[in-house]
């Protein structure tokens, strides 16, 4: 139909945002991320000609962890509830380190959430998109709750991916603070805990100056209802997870089939885990992938010339 979607950033005061965290100040320390829909006159043309419209914009108190990947579920069939629903990964905007931990991990704030919206609808507050009726909090009687939220409690949900041709499950790669990188199974209505939790550890939301310290889970942890990663690694192995796909096919050796691939942005390492080993309530072990280019073994950063 010639439609596609983009995210870009603008100065903090370019235009009044549709969303911002409830507690952080609205000033020149931040920026705004904008979600837009474009419609091409001719989708087959070599260059774009057409129209665009804005769906919504979010203010972030700093210039980090803004609006991240946006995606449609590729497994959603025509006529299914998820068909045409756009998932929007939204970071916490640096709220934690700036001392605004209460700006996130709440249902009246976009900070650290996954939004799920209907670009073809119009029942949102600004009328530019729809809030799917089957979203976890779409029917909330509390007017302050954002019906767009599908899941929350993230620091920086950087990438989203679905297993295509396999289980169909969705995954989120959440970049951690200073200790743990998370691979999360996407669950509707789930609370992933940040800044109360980082991976399967306790983080002190009231002491960002001690962000390099995490603590064991309490004995009564089950009472809090947090959803934990299905795989994780600490900062001895890397410092910023980047999520990739689940490989399903026959274009490579058959032993690759059914593995979810992910890596570390800063260190250039690539990892793989069996998708079938990923389950809520446990953390799967995984392997580092050996890479080879033109018969020469190496790390990703050795191939691309970056350190």
């Amino acid at each position: 139909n010639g439609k596609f979607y983009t995210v870009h950033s603008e100065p903090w005061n370019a235009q009044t945002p549709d969303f911002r965290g409830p507690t952080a100040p609205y000033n020149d320390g931040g920026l705004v991320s904008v979600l837009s829909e474009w419609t091409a006159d001719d989708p087959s043309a070599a260059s774009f000609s057409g129209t665009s419209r804005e769906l919504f914009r979010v203010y972030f108190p700093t210039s980090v962890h803004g609006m991240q990947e946006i995606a449609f579920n590729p497994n959603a069939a025509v006529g299914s509830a998820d068909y045409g629903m756009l998932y929007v990964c939204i970071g916490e905007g640096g709220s934690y380190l700036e001392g605004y931990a209460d700006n996130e991990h709440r249902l009246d704030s976009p900070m650290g959430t996954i939004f799920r919206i209907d670009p073809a609808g119009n029942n949102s507050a600004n009328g530019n998109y729809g809030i799917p009726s089957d979203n976890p909090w779409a029917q909330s009687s509390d007017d302050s709750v954002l019906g767009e939220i599908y899941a929350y409690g993230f620091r920086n949900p950087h990438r989203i991916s679905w297993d295509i041709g396999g289980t169909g499950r969705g995954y989120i790669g959440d970049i951690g603070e200073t200790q743990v990188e998370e691979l999360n199974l996407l669950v509707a209505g789930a609370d992933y805990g940040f800044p109360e939790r980082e991976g399967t550890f306790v983080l002190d939301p009231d002491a960002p100056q001690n962000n390099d310290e995490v603590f064991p889970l309490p004995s009564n942890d089950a009472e809090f209802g947090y959803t934990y990663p299905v795989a994780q690694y600490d900062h001895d192995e890397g410092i910023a997870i980047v999520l990739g796909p689940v490989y399903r096919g026959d274009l490579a050796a058959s032993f690759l089939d059914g593995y979810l691939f992910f890596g570390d942005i800063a260190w250039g390492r690539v990892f793989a885990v069996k998708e079938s080993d990923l389950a809520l309530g446990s953390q799967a072990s995984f392997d580092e992938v050996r890479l080879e280019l033109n018969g020469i073994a190496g790390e990703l950063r050795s191939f691309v010339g970056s350190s």
Side-chain angles (χ1 to χ4, degrees), residues 181 233 240-244 261-272:
E181 301 301 304
Y233 63 91
I241 189 172
V242 58
L243 181 65
F261 288 83
F262 59 101
D264 192 81
I265 297 170
W267 289 19
R269 302 179 73 180
V270 179
F271 305 105

Side-chain angles (χ1 to χ4, degrees), residues 12-234:
W12 72 277
N13 59 352
Q15 189 174 319
T16 302
D18 298 284
F19 301 100
R20 63 187 183 95
T23 66
Y26 181 52
N27 57 37
D28 60 3
L31 58 74
V32 167
S33 288
V34 183
L35 175 64
S36 300
E37 177 188 83
W38 305 73
T39 304
D41 295 329
D42 179 5
S44 64
S47 59
F48 176 78
S49 174
T51 59
S52 69
R53 70 184 185 93
E54 182 176 308
L55 275 68
F56 64 82
R57 57 180 55 214
V58 180
Y59 168 80
F60 298 92
T62 76
S63 59
V64 300
H65 312 160
M67 207 180 294
Q68 303 288 4
E69 186 165 25
I70 56 176
F72 295 98
N73 179 354
N75 297 306
V78 175
S80 68
D82 216 23
Y83 185 76
M85 301 300 108
L86 182 61
Y87 290 79
V88 184
C89 300
I90 303 176
E92 47 84 68
S95 294
Y96 173 63
L97 287 185
E98 292 298 309
Y100 306 116
D102 55 353
N103 202 41
E104 54 197 309
H105 198 217
R106 47 194 290 174
L107 294 174
D108 61 348
S109 174
M111 302 291 100
T113 67
I114 306 293
F115 272 20
R116 177 175 176 263
I117 66 168
D118 178 4
N122 59 11
N123 66 332
S124 61
N126 65 8
N128 293 340
Y129 61 91
I131 299 174
S133 61
D134 60 344
N135 272 6
W137 293 281
Q139 308 303 325
S140 174
S141 58
D142 185 345
D143 292 340
S144 69
V145 169
L146 301 179
E148 291 89 344
I149 295 176
Y150 188 78
Y152 72 120
F154 299 100
R155 177 178 181 266
N156 187 13
H158 181 254
R159 292 290 182 266
I160 185 171
S161 178
W162 283 266
D163 182 2
I164 304 172
T167 64
R169 298 191 297 182
Y171 292 93
I172 298 290
D174 189 20
I175 297 177
E177 185 58 49
T178 60
Q179 294 289 332
V180 182
E181 301 301 304
E182 300 181 10
L183 172 59
N184 290 289
L185 180 64
L186 180 61
V187 178
D191 175 1
Y192 293 83
F194 189 84
E196 306 284 344
R197 299 289 186 271
E198 184 178 357
T200 54
F201 299 90
V202 172
L203 186 67
D204 186 352
D206 299 320
Q209 70 276 11
N210 297 327
N211 71 330
D212 59 341
E213 296 181 295
V214 290
F215 307 93
L217 297 176
S219 58
N220 66 336
D221 186 66
E223 298 177 9
F224 298 96
Y226 295 130
T227 297
Y228 289 111
V230 291
Q232 61 184 2
Y233 63 91
D234 65 26

